[in-house]
Coordinates of all heavy atoms in Angstrom, one line a residue:
A159 N -18.1 7.6 -20.5 CA -17.9 7.3 -21.9 C -17.4 5.8 -22.1 O -17.1 5.4 -23.2 CB -16.7 8.2 -22.5
G160 N -17.4 5.0 -21.0 CA -17.0 3.6 -21.1 C -15.5 3.3 -21.3 O -15.1 2.3 -21.8
V161 N -14.7 4.3 -20.9 CA -13.3 4.2 -21.0 C -12.8 3.5 -19.7 O -13.0 4.0 -18.6 CB -12.5 5.6 -21.0 CG1 -11.1 5.5 -21.1 CG2 -13.0 6.3 -22.3
P162 N -12.1 2.4 -19.8 CA -11.8 1.5 -18.6 C -10.5 2.0 -17.9 O -10.4 1.7 -16.7 CB -11.6 0.2 -19.2 CG -11.1 0.3 -20.6 CD -11.8 1.6 -21.0
N163 N -9.6 2.7 -18.5 CA -8.4 3.1 -18.0 C -8.0 4.5 -18.2 O -8.3 5.0 -19.3 CB -7.2 2.2 -18.5 CG -7.5 0.7 -18.3 OD1 -7.6 0.1 -17.4 ND2 -7.7 0.0 -19.5
V164 N -7.3 5.2 -17.3 CA -6.7 6.5 -17.5 C -5.2 6.4 -17.2 O -4.8 5.7 -16.3 CB -7.4 7.6 -16.7 CG1 -8.9 7.7 -17.2 CG2 -7.4 7.3 -15.2
I165 N -4.4 7.2 -17.7 CA -3.1 7.1 -17.6 C -2.4 8.1 -16.5 O -3.1 9.1 -16.2 CB -2.3 7.4 -18.9 CG1 -0.9 6.9 -18.9 CG2 -2.4 8.9 -19.3 CD1 -0.2 6.9 -20.3
A166 N -1.4 7.7 -15.8 CA -0.8 8.4 -14.9 C 0.8 8.3 -15.0 O 1.3 7.3 -15.5 CB -1.2 8.0 -13.5
F167 N 1.4 9.3 -14.4 CA 2.9 9.3 -14.6 C 3.5 9.6 -13.2 O 3.0 10.3 -12.4 CB 3.4 10.4 -15.6 CG 2.9 10.2 -16.9 CD1 1.9 11.0 -17.4 CD2 3.3 9.2 -17.8 CE1 1.3 10.9 -18.7 CE2 2.8 9.0 -19.0 CZ 1.7 9.8 -19.5
S168 N 4.7 9.0 -13.0 CA 5.4 9.3 -11.7 C 6.0 10.6 -11.6 O 6.1 11.3 -10.6 CB 6.6 8.3 -11.5 OG 7.6 8.4 -12.5
G169 N 6.4 11.1 -12.8 CA 7.3 12.3 -12.8 C 8.7 12.1 -12.8 O 9.2 10.8 -12.6
N170 N 9.6 13.1 -13.1 CA 11.1 12.8 -13.0 C 11.5 13.0 -11.6 O 10.9 13.6 -10.8 CB 11.8 13.9 -14.0 CG 11.5 13.6 -15.4 OD1 10.9 12.5 -15.8 ND2 12.0 14.5 -16.3
R171 N 12.8 12.5 -11.5 CA 13.4 12.5 -10.1 C 13.8 14.0 -9.8 O 13.6 14.4 -8.7 CB 14.7 11.7 -10.2 CG 14.4 10.1 -10.3 CD 15.7 9.3 -10.2 NE 15.4 7.8 -10.2 CZ 15.2 7.1 -11.3 NH1 15.3 7.7 -12.5 NH2 15.0 5.8 -11.1
K172 N 14.5 14.7 -10.6 CA 14.9 16.0 -10.4 C 15.7 16.0 -9.0 O 15.5 17.0 -8.2 CB 13.7 17.0 -10.4 CG 13.0 17.1 -11.6 CD 11.8 18.0 -11.6 CE 11.0 18.0 -12.8 NZ 9.8 18.7 -12.8
G173 N 16.4 15.2 -8.8 CA 17.3 15.1 -7.5 C 16.7 14.4 -6.4 O 17.2 14.2 -5.4
M174 N 15.4 14.0 -6.5 CA 14.7 13.3 -5.4 C 15.0 11.9 -5.4 O 15.3 11.2 -6.4 CB 13.2 13.4 -5.7 CG 12.3 12.8 -4.6 SD 10.6 12.9 -5.0 CE 10.3 14.6 -4.7
S175 N 15.1 11.2 -4.2 CA 15.5 9.9 -4.1 C 14.3 9.1 -4.5 O 13.1 9.4 -4.5 CB 16.0 9.6 -2.6 OG 14.7 9.5 -1.8
D176 N 14.5 7.7 -5.0 CA 13.5 6.9 -5.3 C 12.6 6.6 -4.2 O 11.4 6.3 -4.3 CB 14.1 5.6 -6.0 CG 14.6 5.9 -7.3 OD1 14.5 7.0 -7.9 OD2 14.9 4.9 -8.0
E177 N 13.3 6.5 -3.0 CA 12.5 6.2 -1.8 C 11.4 7.3 -1.5 O 10.2 7.0 -1.1 CB 13.5 6.1 -0.5 CG 12.7 5.8 0.8 CD 12.1 4.4 0.9 OE1 12.6 3.5 0.2 OE2 11.1 4.2 1.7
E178 N 11.9 8.5 -1.5 CA 11.0 9.7 -1.2 C 9.9 9.8 -2.3 O 8.8 10.0 -2.0 CB 11.7 11.0 -1.2 CG 10.8 12.2 -0.9 CD 11.6 13.5 -0.9 OE1 12.9 13.5 -1.0 OE2 11.0 14.5 -0.7
G179 N 10.3 9.5 -3.5 CA 9.4 9.6 -4.7 C 8.4 8.5 -4.6 O 7.1 8.8 -4.8
A180 N 8.7 7.3 -4.1 CA 7.6 6.3 -4.0 C 6.7 6.6 -2.8 O 5.5 6.4 -2.9 CB 8.4 5.0 -3.6
E181 N 7.2 7.1 -1.7 CA 6.3 7.5 -0.7 C 5.3 8.6 -1.1 O 4.2 8.5 -0.8 CB 7.2 8.1 0.6 CG 8.0 7.0 1.2 CD 8.9 7.6 2.3 OE1 8.9 8.8 2.5 OE2 9.7 6.8 2.9
N182 N 5.9 9.6 -1.8 CA 5.0 10.7 -2.4 C 3.9 10.2 -3.3 O 2.9 10.6 -3.3 CB 5.9 11.7 -2.9 CG 6.7 12.6 -2.0 OD1 6.5 12.5 -0.8 ND2 7.7 13.3 -2.5
T183 N 4.4 9.2 -4.2 CA 3.5 8.7 -5.2 C 2.3 7.9 -4.5 O 1.2 8.0 -5.0 CB 4.2 7.9 -6.2 OG1 5.2 8.7 -6.8 CG2 3.3 7.3 -7.2
V184 N 2.7 7.2 -3.5 CA 1.7 6.4 -2.7 C 0.6 7.4 -2.1 O -0.6 7.2 -2.2 CB 2.4 5.5 -1.7 CG1 1.3 5.0 -0.6 CG2 3.1 4.4 -2.3
I185 N 1.1 8.4 -1.5 CA 0.3 9.3 -0.8 C -0.7 10.0 -2.0 O -1.8 10.1 -1.8 CB 1.1 10.6 -0.3 CG1 1.8 10.0 1.0 CG2 0.2 11.7 0.1 CD1 2.9 11.0 1.5
G186 N -0.1 10.4 -3.2 CA -0.9 10.9 -4.2 C -2.0 10.0 -4.7 O -3.1 10.4 -4.9
L187 N -1.6 8.8 -5.0 CA -2.6 7.7 -5.4 C -3.6 7.4 -4.4 O -4.8 7.1 -4.7 CB -1.8 6.5 -5.9 CG -1.0 6.7 -7.2 CD1 -0.1 5.5 -7.5 CD2 -2.0 6.9 -8.4
N188 N -3.3 7.4 -3.2 CA -4.2 7.1 -2.1 C -5.3 8.3 -2.1 O -6.4 8.0 -1.8 CB -3.5 7.1 -0.7 CG -3.0 5.7 -0.4 OD1 -3.5 4.7 -0.9 ND2 -2.0 5.6 0.4
R189 N -4.8 9.5 -2.5 CA -5.8 10.6 -2.5 C -7.0 10.5 -3.7 O -8.0 10.9 -3.5 CB -5.1 11.9 -2.7 CG -4.4 12.4 -1.4 CD -3.8 13.8 -1.6 NE -4.7 14.8 -2.0 CZ -4.4 16.1 -2.1 NH1 -3.2 16.5 -1.7 NH2 -5.2 17.0 -2.5
V190 N -6.5 9.7 -4.7 CA -7.5 9.6 -5.8 C -7.9 8.3 -6.1 O -8.9 8.1 -7.0 CB -6.7 10.2 -7.0 CG1 -6.4 11.6 -7.0 CG2 -5.5 9.3 -7.5
K191 N -7.6 7.2 -5.3 CA -7.9 5.9 -5.7 C -9.5 5.8 -5.5 O -10.1 4.9 -6.2 CB -7.2 4.8 -4.9 CG -7.4 4.9 -3.4 CD -6.6 3.8 -2.7 CE -6.8 3.8 -1.2 NZ -5.9 2.8 -0.5
R192 N -10.1 6.5 -4.5 CA -11.5 6.2 -4.2 C -12.3 6.8 -5.4 O -13.3 6.3 -5.7 CB -11.8 6.9 -2.9 CG -13.4 6.9 -2.6 CD -13.7 5.4 -2.2 NE -15.1 5.3 -1.9 CZ -15.6 5.3 -0.7 NH1 -14.8 5.6 0.4 NH2 -16.8 5.2 -0.4
I193 N -11.8 7.8 -6.1 CA -12.6 8.3 -7.2 C -12.6 7.2 -8.3 O -13.6 7.1 -8.9 CB -11.8 9.5 -7.8 CG1 -11.6 10.6 -6.8 CG2 -12.5 10.2 -9.0 CD1 -10.7 11.8 -7.1
A194 N -11.4 6.6 -8.5 CA -11.3 5.5 -9.5 C -12.2 4.3 -9.1 O -12.9 3.7 -9.9 CB -9.9 5.1 -9.6
E195 N -12.1 4.0 -7.8 CA -13.0 2.9 -7.4 C -14.4 3.1 -7.5 O -15.2 2.2 -8.0 CB -12.6 2.6 -5.8 CG -11.2 2.0 -5.7 CD -10.7 2.1 -4.3 OE1 -11.5 2.7 -3.4 OE2 -9.6 1.5 -3.9
D196 N -14.9 4.3 -7.2 CA -16.3 4.6 -7.2 C -16.8 4.6 -8.7 O -17.9 4.5 -9.0 CB -16.6 6.0 -6.5 CG -16.5 5.9 -5.1 OD1 -16.4 4.8 -4.6 OD2 -16.4 6.9 -4.4
S197 N -15.8 5.1 -9.6 CA -16.2 5.2 -11.0 C -16.0 3.9 -11.8 O -16.4 3.8 -12.9 CB -15.3 6.3 -11.6 OG -15.6 7.5 -11.1
G198 N -15.3 2.9 -11.3 CA -15.0 1.7 -12.0 C -14.0 1.9 -13.1 O -14.1 1.2 -14.1
V199 N -13.1 2.8 -12.8 CA -12.0 3.1 -13.9 C -10.7 2.9 -13.2 O -10.5 3.1 -12.0 CB -12.1 4.6 -14.3 CG1 -10.9 5.0 -15.1 CG2 -13.4 4.8 -15.1
T200 N -9.7 2.3 -13.9 CA -8.4 1.9 -13.4 C -7.4 3.0 -13.7 O -7.2 3.4 -14.9 CB -7.9 0.6 -13.9 OG1 -8.9 -0.3 -13.5 CG2 -6.6 0.2 -13.3
I201 N -6.7 3.6 -12.8 CA -5.5 4.5 -12.9 C -4.3 3.6 -13.2 O -4.0 2.8 -12.4 CB -5.3 5.4 -11.8 CG1 -6.5 6.2 -11.4 CG2 -4.0 6.2 -11.9 CD1 -6.5 6.9 -10.0
C202 N -3.7 3.8 -14.4 CA -2.6 3.0 -14.8 C -1.3 3.9 -14.8 O -1.2 4.7 -15.7 CB -2.8 2.4 -16.1 SG -4.0 1.1 -16.0
M203 N -0.4 3.7 -13.9 CA 0.9 4.5 -14.0 C 1.9 3.8 -14.9 O 2.2 2.6 -14.7 CB 1.5 4.6 -12.5 CG 2.8 5.5 -12.4 SD 3.3 5.7 -10.8 CE 3.8 4.1 -10.3
E204 N 2.4 4.6 -15.8 CA 3.2 4.0 -16.8 C 4.6 3.8 -16.4 O 5.3 4.8 -15.8 CB 3.2 4.8 -18.1 CG 3.9 4.1 -19.3 CD 3.6 4.7 -20.6 OE1 3.0 5.8 -20.8 OE2 3.8 4.0 -21.6
L205 N 5.1 2.7 -16.7 CA 6.7 2.4 -16.6 C 7.3 2.8 -17.9 O 7.0 2.4 -19.0 CB 6.9 1.0 -16.3 CG 6.1 0.4 -15.0 CD1 6.3 -1.2 -15.1 CD2 6.7 1.1 -13.8
L206 N 8.3 3.7 -17.7 CA 9.0 4.2 -19.0 C 10.5 3.9 -18.8 O 11.1 4.0 -17.6 CB 8.8 5.7 -19.2 CG 7.3 6.1 -19.4 CD1 7.1 7.6 -19.4 CD2 6.6 5.5 -20.7
N207 N 11.2 3.9 -19.9 CA 12.6 3.9 -19.8 C 13.4 5.2 -19.6 O 12.9 6.3 -20.2 CB 13.3 3.1 -20.9 CG 13.7 4.0 -22.1 OD1 14.6 4.8 -22.2 ND2 12.7 3.9 -23.1

Side-chain angles (χ1 to χ4, degrees):
V161 179
N163 306 295
V164 297
I165 198 166
F167 303 106
S168 68
N170 287 357
R171 292 181 174 89
K172 301 176 185 177
M174 179 183 290
S175 72
D176 284 2
E177 178 69 23
E178 181 182 359
E181 292 174 359
N182 290 345
T183 302
V184 169
I185 290 169
L187 287 169
N188 276 332
R189 287 182 57 166
V190 298
K191 68 181 182 182
R192 183 62 182 270
I193 306 168
E195 291 164 354
D196 289 346
S197 299
V199 171
T200 302
I201 299 169
C202 293
M203 183 174 66
E204 187 163 19
L205 302 174
L206 301 171
N207 84 77

